[in-house]
Amino acid sequence: MNTPTITHFQQTVPVSIDYPRPERLVSGNPQRQTWTHYESSDRQLSCGIWACEVGAWQIRFAADKEEFFCVISGKVCLHGADGSAVIVAAGEAAVIPAGFEGRFEVLEPVRKYFVVLDRSARG
């Protein structure tokens, strides 16, 4: 029997680097870095640290995917398709709900903890 172990975010994990897709890009071409520290065996839950340069792009969350995040440093603004806007700065947290559509804007280089629940994922 495997005994579950605690995942500590001070562990070294590989970084994944990407950029917003060109058709979603609004401003800049920000490099995004993701360090996934934990992924459940069914792949529905993942968490880690995410960092990004200044820029903005369109986002669309699936109906079965949502994200909790807490900003470590920097500042972001989430613009809803309805014209709403929420700024989240260092020390603050927010949830991007399932089905959210809008724009993700990095106002200051950001680093955040993330927890993503993706009910469509399969192990």
Side-chain angles (χ1 to χ4, degrees):
M1 177 178 208
N2 254 350
T3 302
T5 59
I6 300 297
T7 298
H8 193 286
F9 280 37
Q10 294 303 315
Q11 296 169 303
T12 301
V13 296
V15 62
S16 170
I17 296 174
D18 74 336
Y19 297 84
R21 293 193 305 231
E23 67 274 13
R24 292 192 175 188
L25 200 56
V26 174
S27 68
N29 190 24
Q31 182 185 78
R32 305 181 296 195
Q33 299 175 303
T34 305
W35 295 267
T36 301
H37 285 269
Y38 175 81
E39 189 170 66
S40 62
S41 60
D42 62 6
R43 302 189 70 164
Q44 291 188 16
L45 180 71
S46 63
C47 56
I49 297 172
W50 183 85
C52 186
E53 300 170 333
V54 172
W57 59 95
Q58 298 295 327
I59 63 171
R60 181 181 304 143
F61 267 52
D64 46 14
K65 182 178 180 179
E66 48 203 318
E67 176 184 347
F68 164 85
F69 68 93
C70 181
V71 175
I72 301 166
S73 62
K75 188 185 299 182
V76 301
C77 183
L78 286 105
H79 303 267
D82 63 359
S84 63
V86 175
I87 293 176
V88 187
E92 299 176 341
V95 170
I96 303 173
F100 178 83
E101 291 187 32
R103 188 170 79 246
F104 194 98
E105 181 179 13
V106 178
L107 301 170
E108 297 173 4
V110 70
R111 191 174 188 85
K112 68 176 183 161
Y113 293 112
F114 70 87
V115 178
V116 173
L117 178 60
D118 184 349
R119 292 179 186 86
S120 70
R122 299 283 182 247

